[in-house]
């Protein structure tokens, strides 16, 4: 199956039961615009009913970026109340669409900001050696809520705090991400997709009902705390973000310097 538009590509190997979903906007560092968000939600829902798909690999086109979050050119009108907020990324992940087939993320470059909506709903992450992870929200006057909450399910809280609070000043290397538990394997760039696909094929070869039951059990272990935390996120964002005009000034006036660890 191949998506009709170019924002997303999805191909399934019927022999192995592995689908590869590719964010296909390399010129925009695979940032997510409304079209891409809709296609992601649609492909996860489609996989729920496609018994030929038993495991999924999620990656980004090119070598520069896995995903850099929401496309900065996207305009999302918001209600006037600080207690109401529309987030176009809330439904881009597999779990948000009630898909319990295992998803392996293959990170091939930068993963930042809204990319954590996807990484937070993958079963595990394999990263290329040049991959980096960072969260720019606070640098540009925005609260890191959903991203920080999702990463707190995967990394020691101190590491999440450091990444979330230091913004663009620091990037986590693939090796450091492996050391903190965010990433389960680091591989050469050329072998990234092969490594992720090989792992997916092993999983897909197992009986599908026990696999999906195991995925659901793992998520049940942390779902209550996660759900409670995410329920607070819209209020934190609405009350903590700088006004859009002040955010824009920070985007245009800041130097891109950072350090990697």
């Amino acid at each position: 199956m191949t998506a009709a538009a170019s924002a997303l590509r999805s191909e399934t190997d019927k022999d192995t039961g592995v689908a590869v979903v590719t964010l296909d906007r390399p010129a925009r560092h695979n940032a997510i615009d409304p079209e891409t968000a809709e296609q992601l939600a649609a492909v996860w829902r489609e996989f729920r009913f496609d018994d030929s798909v038993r495991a999924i690999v999620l990656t980004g086109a090119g070598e520069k970026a896995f995903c850099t979050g929401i496309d900065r050119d996207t305009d999302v009108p918001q209600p006037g109340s600080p207690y109401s907020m529309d987030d176009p990324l809330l439904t881009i992940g597999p779990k948000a669409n009630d898909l319990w087939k295992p998803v392996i993320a293959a990170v091939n470059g930068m993963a930042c900001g809204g990319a954590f909506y996807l990484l937070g709903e993958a079963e595990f992450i394999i990263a290329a050696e040049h991959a980096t992870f960072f969260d720019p929200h606070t640098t540009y006057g925005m609260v890191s809520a959903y991203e920080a909450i999702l990463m707190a399910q995967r990394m020691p809280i101190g590491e999440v705090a450091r990444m979330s609070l230091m913004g663009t000043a620091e990037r986590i290397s693939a090796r450091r991400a492996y050391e903190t538990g965010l990433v389960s394997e680091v591989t050469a760039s050329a072998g990234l997709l092969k490594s992720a696909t090989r792992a997916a094929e092993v999983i897909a070869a197992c009986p599908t009902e026990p696999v999906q039951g195991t995925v659901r059990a793992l998520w049940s272990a942390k779902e209550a705390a996660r759900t409670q935390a995410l329920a607070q996120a819209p209020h934190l964002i609405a009350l903590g973000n700088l006004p859009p005009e002040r955010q824009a000034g920070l985007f245009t006036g800041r130097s891109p310097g950072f350090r990697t660890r």
Side-chain angles (χ1 to χ4, degrees), residues 131-156:
T132 57
F133 304 82
F134 64 103
D135 189 349
H137 281 76
T138 57
T139 299
Y140 296 118
M142 294 177 282
V143 173
S144 176
Y146 290 104
E147 296 82 0
I149 290 167
L150 290 168
M151 289 302 96
Q153 304 289 319
R154 294 183 172 273
M155 301 166 64

Side-chain angles (χ1 to χ4, degrees), residues 148 155-167:
M155 301 166 64
I157 192 69
E159 294 293 331
V160 180
R162 179 168 177 151
M163 178 176 71
S164 300
L165 294 173
M166 293 190 72

